[in-house]
């Protein structure tokens, strides 16, 4: 025990009295989150980064300390890992004593590197446990009375309580069937919106935890909760085909746990004290918007015992049968705030504001208009060819907010329980519009941006911006296909197609972990995976165990295998693979059980969705790809990913079992879909792309398929791929020595291409290659989203090849990675960054006259294999001799130079003449 005390004393001395050091330990996370509150895991994970001025820094040892106070006293210590011989610094499991519920824990880490015998010490971080195993919930579920249950108005609940002295901590745990907003003593609790988010409601609901100690007053206090339908009730009616609601009754459960200085915990909310009345929000809908009369009496949140005369007694409702799960992902928050750019008077006389960016969120406006003034806000993505406000593509979604103003000076108005997808705002009820009074507030899950990419080509820069804005708008708690029309669903195919690009742009680890859990819950017992997660029977089709309905469609259902594996590659967390492994197995087994002669025989698939097609196609130029070929290709691909996952997890028997199956599946693919001369029965770009990307062909046929693919592209003069072929198209070209062809496709500006929408003023990714035709008209008004990220999957190729950053599958999580830029002659400079689990990776290069200059930054505790092509003649030289001396390995060939570089900043120069 004396040894522990001495270690802790040294730790604290280092934390608070250390001198300036060349290395620091920073960015401490628990379960991938910064100082999270409400973590139920009994074995949370710890991660950190090292920043160093030295070269080739590798962690040799670490030591983690966990305690119940920030002093790390001997009494408070709950875990000392001891000095562990390891270079691992991400997802290290807690192995200490049993954690208590609703308790704040402090932690810090000491790190030894190969450059110093003295440890580097982090600052102190913390996390707070949740209600743990779930049996700590003492509260009841609260709702309105039976008469008011189906009233569209939003109920406001209040509960008065008394708080005493000597409080050490106070945490509010709360969730709802529906969405909620909580208040304590007149102040909004937390800065998250649309809580608790959207999960597989029939199976689980996430709860949130908030530190509310500083919100409490000595004596009388008031807790308030507002409820709305959200995704839970009055969901899209789906033309009467099927019920998409999860329930008929809104309700919430709240637990305020106070820990006193003597360590005693007490739940102090008396559920019998809940009252409610209907306030300013008259109705609120995800799709239709919000109606609010701000002259109606909302609760007096800050005055206890001041009862609204219209209040009613709340009632206990049926308890939730599913799991109340802790929140493992970043919640929805306010992000960018955009100014209105222009006031447009349309030909029909409408007043329309242009915010200059297609985004998702809401508009807030300041007003001094008289009491009783009604202001109506309509939202749209585009103006039509004539310059009119265009909402046909919204279908049944109204996207309309109606506010009755209260006449207060400089009052700010905005909705509470809805969001809109828009660039343009039509305003009714305001005669004189001041642009400065209107702001567009972007809402999306609060993930860290990790990637950036800029080039000498401004159109490509705008494309990159469009990809990121499309991700912002569609990563609102679930990865939706579109954020504006009467859909906004977590389509599995869109998510798997875009996942790798998403992982470059943002830290999507927790976001997709949460979504994959819901995929597992919504997966049928026979292994079939739905097309939409969370599943809500959106299409109203037969989702029984028959081979019909939205379940089991390849390219969509394969999200069950594709996303877990690639999440492991990006973040290096085996726990994601472990958690999703049985789901992966079930999906492969479902396809196997519904196969004949090792060919997946399910008939109804979506295929290469929105591929290039022509109207009145008498010449047969539409790029139709056999859905059966696509299905078999993905069957093979998913099986291969399962084999890789089993190998990574050490499941040798499974790896052997599915390897035997895989050989039969590939053989069946070739027998069924490949002619003896190497042509695929669907002679389309997508067919060749999938066969090549999934490595389904013999060496001889790889060459044939590559040439046929290139010839097909040249024949059309452009790409013809849809949702399933497009993500892999340029990768396949580059992987088979056709970089010039890939660049040509990327830089094409005419329809169909990635840059065509950019030339038409797009600020996000379109659902269709020709969302707006060259003449400005709309060909497909009923299904034409202008914020639909799937085709933004080209972003991964740009990071991989323009920046040159690629994953090394033997070292998941960027522990060791590859840098190999193209140095294409169409670009004068490229600058890219990616903030990995080990720190910021930077690559930028520029070409001027006869010199190519490249700068590379590699974070501590990682390494990079660097391949630099030689555009002309010459040898790469280091401008910094210290950097050159840190090169771990070098090979010089006629066409490229190879370096193995440790961490550090490097600048290299190539004289090309």
């Amino acid at each position: 025990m004396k040894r522990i005390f001495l270690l802790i004393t040294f730790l604290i001395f280092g934390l608070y009295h250390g001198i300036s050091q060349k290395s620091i330990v920073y960015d401490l996370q628990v379960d991938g989150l910064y100082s999270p509150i409400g973590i139920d895991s009994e074995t949370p994970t710890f991660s950190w980064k090292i920043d160093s001025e030295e070269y080739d820094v590798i962690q040799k040892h670490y030591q983690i300390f966990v305690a119940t106070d920030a002093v790390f006293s001997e009494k408070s210590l709950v875990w000392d890992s001891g000095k562990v011989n390891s270079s691992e610094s991400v997802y290290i499991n807690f192995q200490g004593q049993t954690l208590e519920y609703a308790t704040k824990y402090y932690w810090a880490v000491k790190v030894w590197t190969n450059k110093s015998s003295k440890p580097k010490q982090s600052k102190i971080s913390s996390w707070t446990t949740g209600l743990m195993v779930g049996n700590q919930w003492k509260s009841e579920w609260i709702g309105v009375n039976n008469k008011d249950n189906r009233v569209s108005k939003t109920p406001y609940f209040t509960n008065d309580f008394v708080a005493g002295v000597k409080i050490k901590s106070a945490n509010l745990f709360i969730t709802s069937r529906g969405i909620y907003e909580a208040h304590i003593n007149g102040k909004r609790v937390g800065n998250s919106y649309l809580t608790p988010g959207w999960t597989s409601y029939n199976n689980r609901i996430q709860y949130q935890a908030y530190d509310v100690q500083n919100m409490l007053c000595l004596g009388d206090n008031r807790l308030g909760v507002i409820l709305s339908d959200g995704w839970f009730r009055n969901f899209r009616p789906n033309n009467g085909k099927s019920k998409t609601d999860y329930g008929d009754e809104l309700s919430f459960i709240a637990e305020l746990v106070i820990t006193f200085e003597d360590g005693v915990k007490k739940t102090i909310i008396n559920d019998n004290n809940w009252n409610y009345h209907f306030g300013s929000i008259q109705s609120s809908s995800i799709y239709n918007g919000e109606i609010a009369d701000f002259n109606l009496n909302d609760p007096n949140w800050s005055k206890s015992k001041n009862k609204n005369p219209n209040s009613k007694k709340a009632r206990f409702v049926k308890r939730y049968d599913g799991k109340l799960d802790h929140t493992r992902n970043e919640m929805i928050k306010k992000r960018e705030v955009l100014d209105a750019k222009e006031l447009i008077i349309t030909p029909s006389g409408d007043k329309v504001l242009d915010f200059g960016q297609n985004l998702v969120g809401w508009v807030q406006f300041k007003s001094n208009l008289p009491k009783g003034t009604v202001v109506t806000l309509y939202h749209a993505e585009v103006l039509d060819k004539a310059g009119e406000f265009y909402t046909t593509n919204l279908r049944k979604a109204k996207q309309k907010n109606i506010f009755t103003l209260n006449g207060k000076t400089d009052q700010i108005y905005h909705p509470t329980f809805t969001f809109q997808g828009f660039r343009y705002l039509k305003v009714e009820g305001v005669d004189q519009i001041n642009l400065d009074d209107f702001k567009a507030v972007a809402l999306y899950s609060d993930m860290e941006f990790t990637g950036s990419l800029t080039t000498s080509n401004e159109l490509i820069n705008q494309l990159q911006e469009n990809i990121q804005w499309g991700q912002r708008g569609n990563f609102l708690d679930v990865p939706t296909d579109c954020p504006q029309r009467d859909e906004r669903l977590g389509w599995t195919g869109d998510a798997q197609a875009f996942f790798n690009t998403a992982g470059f742009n943002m830290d999507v680890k927790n976001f997709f972990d949460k979504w994959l859990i819901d995929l597992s819950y919504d997966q049928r017992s026979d292994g079939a995976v739905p097309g939409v997660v969370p599943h809500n029977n959106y299409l109203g089709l037969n989702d029984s165990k028959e081979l019909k309905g939205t379940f089991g469609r390849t390219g969509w259902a394969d999200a069950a295998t594709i996303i877990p594996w690639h999440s492991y590659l990006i973040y290096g967390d085996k726990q994601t693979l472990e958690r999703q492994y049985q789901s992966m197995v079930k999906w492969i087994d479902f396809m196997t059980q519904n196969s004949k002669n090792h060919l997946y025989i399910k008939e109804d698939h979506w295929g290469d969705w929105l591929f290039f097609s022509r109207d009145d196609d008498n010449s047969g130029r539409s790029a139709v790809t056999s859905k059966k070929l696509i299905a078999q290709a993905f069957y093979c691909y998913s099986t291969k990913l399962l084999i890789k996952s089993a190998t990574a997890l050490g499941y040798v028997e499974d790896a052997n079992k599915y390897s035997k199956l895989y050989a039969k599946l590939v053989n069946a693919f070739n027998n069924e879909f490949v002619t003896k001369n190497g042509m695929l029965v669907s002679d389309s770009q997508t067919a060749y792309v999938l066969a090549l990307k999934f490595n389904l062909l013999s060496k001889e046929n790889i060459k044939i398929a590559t040439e046929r693919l290139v010839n097909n592209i040249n024949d059309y003069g452009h790409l013809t791929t849809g949702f399933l072929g497009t993500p892999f198209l340029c990768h396949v070209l580059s992987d088979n020595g056709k970089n010039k062809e890939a660049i040509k496709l990327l830089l094409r500006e005419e329809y169909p291409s990635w840059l065509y929408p950019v030339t038409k003023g797009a600020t996000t990714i379109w659902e269709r290659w020709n969302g707006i035709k060259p003449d400005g008209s709309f060909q497909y008004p009923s299904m034409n989203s202008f914020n639909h990220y799937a085709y933004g999957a080209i972003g991964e190729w740009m990071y991989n090849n323009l920046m040159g950053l690629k994953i090394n599958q033997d070292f998941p999580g960027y522990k060791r990675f590859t840098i190999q830029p193209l140095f294409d002659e169409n670009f004068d400079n490229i600058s890219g960054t990616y903030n990995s689990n080990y720190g910021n990776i930077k690559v930028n290069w520029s070409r001027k006259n006869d010199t190519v200059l490249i700068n590379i930054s590699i974070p501590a505790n990682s390494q990079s294999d660097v391949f630099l092509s030689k555009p002309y003649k010459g040898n790469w030289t280091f401008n910094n001799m210290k950097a050159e001396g840190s090169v771990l390995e070098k090979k010089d060939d006629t066409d490229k130079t190879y370096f193995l570089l440790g961490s550090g900043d490097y600048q290299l120069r190539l004289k090309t003449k």
Side-chain angles (χ1 to χ4, degrees), residues 480-497:
T480 57
D481 60 326
C482 61
Q484 72 298 95
R485 69 182 180 224
D486 56 350
E487 195 167 346
R488 313 186 191 191
L489 302 170
W491 286 98
T492 48
D494 304 49
Q496 69 83 6

Side-chain angles (χ1 to χ4, degrees), residues 303-520:
K303 294 182 180 179
S304 65
K305 300 181 181 178
N306 184 0
K307 190 175 181 180
N308 188 293
N310 298 317
S311 67
K312 304 175 184 180
K313 190 73 174 177
R315 71 183 180 97
F316 297 165
V317 301
K318 180 182 177 182
R319 295 187 70 85
Y320 177 60
D321 293 331
K323 178 182 180 181
L324 291 183
D325 202 358
H326 72 281
T327 298
R328 66 184 69 242
N329 57 302
E330 298 84 356
M331 300 303 294
I332 297 169
K333 294 184 180 178
K334 292 181 179 179
R335 305 294 293 266
E336 297 84 0
V337 178
L338 281 65
D339 296 327
K341 303 295 185 184
E342 181 183 6
L343 172 62
I344 300 169
I345 306 300
T346 69
S348 60
D350 290 331
K351 300 183 186 72
V352 175
L353 301 184
D354 178 7
F355 288 95
Q357 174 63 54
N358 195 351
L359 74 151
V360 176
W362 62 50
V363 171
Q364 66 182 34
F365 66 97
K366 181 174 67 175
S367 176
N368 293 297
L369 290 171
K371 180 178 181 179
T373 301
V374 177
V375 175
T376 304
L377 306 180
Y378 304 82
H379 303 75
E381 294 185 288
V382 294
L383 304 181
D384 67 15
K385 184 177 180 180
E388 296 288 2
F389 193 74
Y390 185 78
T391 58
T392 303
N393 70 324
L394 301 180
R395 301 193 298 217
K396 289 191 173 183
K398 295 179 181 178
Q399 281 213 134
K400 179 173 67 174
N401 299 326
I402 304 174
F403 301 129
T404 302
L405 310 189
N406 58 23
K408 293 182 180 179
T409 303
D410 290 339
Q411 181 74 21
I412 303 294
Y413 300 92
H414 63 77
T416 303
F417 294 116
T418 189
F419 61 90
Q420 284 88 32
F422 66 99
R423 171 176 171 170
Y424 297 94
L425 181 78
K426 184 171 75 172
V427 181
E428 292 181 351
V430 181
D431 293 332
Q432 299 294 324
I433 292 180
N434 182 354
L435 289 181
D436 292 338
D437 291 339
F438 291 82
K439 308 289 182 184
V441 180
L443 293 174
Y444 52 96
S445 294
D446 192 30
M447 294 168 287
E448 176 187 358
F449 279 89
T450 50
S452 67
L453 184 68
T454 57
T455 78
S456 55
N457 186 312
E458 289 304 319
L459 291 179
I460 295 297
N461 294 342
Q462 185 61 54
L463 173 62
Q464 170 68 6
E465 282 289 307
N466 292 1
I467 293 170
Q468 291 199 336
W469 272 103
Q471 185 168 341
R472 287 176 172 97
N474 283 292
F475 277 35
L476 213 90
D477 201 60
V478 300
T480 57
D481 60 326
C482 61
Q484 72 298 95
R485 69 182 180 224
D486 56 350
E487 195 167 346
R488 313 186 191 191
L489 302 170
W491 286 98
T492 48
D494 304 49
Q496 69 83 6
F498 187 69
F499 177 78
N500 288 349
T501 296
F504 270 114
N505 290 330
M506 295 178 180
D507 182 353
V508 297
K509 168 71 164 57
N510 300 315
F511 179 85
F512 273 99
D513 275 359
K514 174 254 187 184
W515 186 75
L516 286 170
I517 290 171
D518 291 314
L519 184 149
S520 298

Side-chain angles (χ1 to χ4, degrees), residues 7 88 117 153 172 180 578 630 649 712:
L7 283 173
E88 294 300 319
S117 59
K153 296 181 180 180
L172 176 66
Y180 73 86
E578 184 74 56
I630 294 173
L649 295 172
N712 188 295

Side-chain angles (χ1 to χ4, degrees), residues 36-37 102 107 209 225 236 262 283 292 434 548 561 644 650-651 862 867:
I37 301 175
W107 76 285
V225 177
R236 184 179 188 270
D262 60 4
S283 69
N434 182 354
K548 296 180 180 179
T561 54
K644 291 183 176 183
Y651 301 154
S862 67
F867 297 87

